[in-house]
Amino acid sequence: MLEHLPRKHVIVAFPDTRISRVEKMSGIFRFLTGRNNWDIEMRQKPLKEADIKNADGVLLTGLSASESVSAVEASDIPTVLIAAECSRRSNITIINTDAAAIGRQTASHIISSGSYETFACVLPEYPSAFSLSCAKAFAVEVKRHSGNCIFLSENLSALVTMKKPVAIFALNDDLASSTINECRKLKLSVPDDVAIIGFGNDAMTCENHRPTISSVEPDFEK
């Protein structure tokens, strides 16, 4: 039977298919089903100024948005940026997730759902403005209700000495997954010693992990 087989360390490598990008595109195409006057040109690489010279409009999201900002700033073409910023203020709409609200609500949910002794946020190695704002709001809300929150990066050895149980907010599902793996190496039980909540609710990551990952689900499609 499977439970008697020795455990193996297996690495699965695959391209980045974040659910946030898939659902944002689903929302865009759902909107377009009611239109027939847009000729869509799909691009998966950052745009240069020459690429958009003859366009009537530009919509950018994900990594391509942040890497295409200089082209957008040099143009006055109607533009929508999702999860990105630029200095241009005319003919542009910028849509960002409310990071502070997510941080506060996640903290409130964790506090109300269990009796945790300590709290932590796990940040990516190079945190975005969104991650920093979300983590800060989470920590402020924790302090307002219960106590202090510490910030951790990929080195999670501090978890060993923290008073258990620990509640962790990982700023994306990949971080939540790696945090579970690190806890396993540190001989910490999930969720008994360390409870983890991610962000994004990517089913590929969350549902296929053991234990499965609870995760905040933004309305990316909307």
Side-chain angles (χ1 to χ4, degrees):
M1 295 176 66
L2 287 177
E3 59 265 28
H4 297 307
L5 294 176
R7 297 189 68 83
K8 302 292 185 182
H9 177 201
V10 180
I11 295 173
V12 179
F14 53 88
D16 186 352
T17 53
R18 290 189 185 278
I19 193 65
S20 60
R21 296 173 190 173
V22 174
E23 291 190 354
K24 287 172 188 175
M25 294 308 298
S26 295
I28 292 164
F29 287 119
R30 186 183 296 276
F31 169 78
L32 291 176
T33 57
R35 290 177 167 268
N36 58 13
N37 66 327
W38 284 20
D39 294 321
I40 300 299
E41 179 184 353
M42 299 292 294
R43 292 289 189 97
Q44 291 184 304
K45 295 182 178 179
L47 299 175
K48 295 180 172 56
E49 192 174 346
D51 295 329
I52 62 176
K53 184 177 180 180
N54 297 316
D56 295 303
V58 179
L59 194 154
L60 296 165
T61 185
L63 186 61
S64 294
S66 58
E67 294 184 355
S68 302
V69 165
S70 59
V72 169
E73 289 179 333
S75 166
D76 196 44
I77 292 169
T79 300
V80 174
L81 295 180
I82 302 175
E85 295 286 351
C86 82
S87 60
R88 198 179 108 196
R89 290 294 175 261
S90 64
N91 242 7
I92 191 165
T93 297
I94 298 174
I95 303 170
N96 283 318
T97 307
D98 191 337
I102 288 171
R104 288 193 301 269
Q105 291 174 21
T106 302
S108 295
H109 171 76
I110 291 175
I111 291 166
S112 66
S113 64
S115 179
Y116 298 103
E117 294 290 340
T118 47
F119 299 81
C121 272
V122 179
L123 291 160
E125 184 179 2
Y126 301 104
S128 63
F130 169 85
S131 295
L132 292 173
S133 177
C134 196
K136 181 179 178 181
F138 178 89
V140 168
E141 189 69 9
V142 165
K143 187 173 183 179
R144 191 170 75 86
H145 285 276
S146 320
N148 291 323
C149 173
I150 69 167
F151 297 99
L152 301 171
S153 58
E154 292 182 5
N155 182 3
L156 301 179
S157 57
L159 288 174
V160 175
T161 58
M162 291 174 66
K163 195 171 182 180
K164 310 298 186 297
V166 182
I168 288 181
F169 182 25
L171 271 297
N172 62 59
D173 291 333
D174 290 340
L175 277 176
S177 174
S178 63
T179 299
I180 290 175
N181 292 335
E182 286 301 308
C183 286
R184 188 175 291 121
K185 293 177 185 177
L186 296 170
K187 309 300 183 186
L188 296 172
S189 172
V190 179
D192 298 324
D193 295 324
V194 180
I196 300 165
I197 188 166
F199 177 80
N201 200 30
D202 189 327
M204 181 179 290
T205 300
C206 296
E207 296 302 321
N208 293 301
H209 216 287
R210 293 296 178 269
T212 55
I213 299 171
S214 297
S215 183
V216 177
E217 182 178 30
D219 193 344
F220 290 121
E221 182 170 330
K222 184 177 180 180

